Amino acid sequence: MSETWELEAAQVRAARPRHILFLCVANSARSQMAEGIARKLAPASIKISSAGSKPSRVNPLALKALAEVGVDASKQLSKSVDDIPPGDVDVVITLCAEEVCPVFLGKAMRLHWGLPDPAAVEGSEEARLDSFRRVRDELQRRLAVMFAK
């Protein structure tokens, strides 16, 4: 049986969105990685963005994990959800797991992919980087299905 996210990915594909927003709290790790990967995989006609309810800065380990798979997200910035015009977004994908996800106003299709926050992992840099890699790989898997030709 298909996982829920696979069915949702097919719904997004069928909806032919013009703008997909990845939403998290800090807009520093999961949503930034999703934005970078989606920009690489999505058709050029789809605008991809990310934001957070309490934006901070892009986590250097997120950038490193993305660079390992050929995604350059070095120019991405942490943004506030308040700066995203609600009428411009067709699909919102929230990525929070342990936290309370931000609310996005507007008529966009809403999906929730609760993934663990890799920035919350403690330990050596390698252990922390591994947590970013796991989330990156899961996002790649899901987004590859969403943007399958």
Side-chain angles (χ1 to χ4, degrees):
M1 182 173 159
S2 266
E3 292 187 54
T4 302
W5 69 263
E6 289 176 307
L7 299 173
E8 293 171 340
Q11 290 173 331
V12 170
R13 233 184 357 267
R16 297 178 176 247
R18 293 166 292 130
H19 185 178
I20 298 174
L21 172 65
F22 294 96
L23 199 52
C24 216
V25 175
N27 190 221
S28 66
R30 292 166 288 193
S31 54
Q32 288 288 339
M33 289 193 293
E35 178 182 352
I37 294 164
R39 283 178 187 236
K40 183 175 180 179
L41 298 176
S45 61
I46 300 178
K47 179 179 178 180
I48 304 293
S49 58
S50 68
S53 54
K54 296 178 184 172
S56 59
R57 65 180 179 86
V58 181
N59 190 305
L61 292 176
L63 296 176
K64 189 172 185 175
L66 289 173
E68 290 177 347
V69 294
V71 175
D72 179 8
S74 61
K75 301 230 183 325
Q76 290 179 200
L77 300 171
S78 225
K79 300 160 291 297
S80 173
V81 67
D82 297 332
D83 296 335
I84 307 290
D88 185 43
V89 177
D90 302 305
V91 176
V92 175
I93 301 175
T94 52
L95 299 163
C96 313
E98 307 84 14
E99 321 83 345
V100 174
C101 279
V103 174
F104 185 79
L105 303 175
K107 297 180 180 175
M109 176 189 298
R110 287 168 174 73
L111 311 179
H112 178 69
W113 292 352
L115 297 174
D117 184 1
V121 172
E122 296 181 5
S124 68
E125 181 165 341
E126 189 61 26
R128 293 171 43 231
L129 181 57
D130 280 344
S131 69
F132 280 83
R133 288 174 176 140
R134 284 189 297 277
V135 171
R136 174 204 65 203
D137 293 348
E138 183 60 22
L139 286 167
Q140 272 192 304
R141 182 171 81 103
R142 293 179 186 206
L143 292 168
V145 170
M146 180 177 289
F147 297 119
K149 304 279 186 273

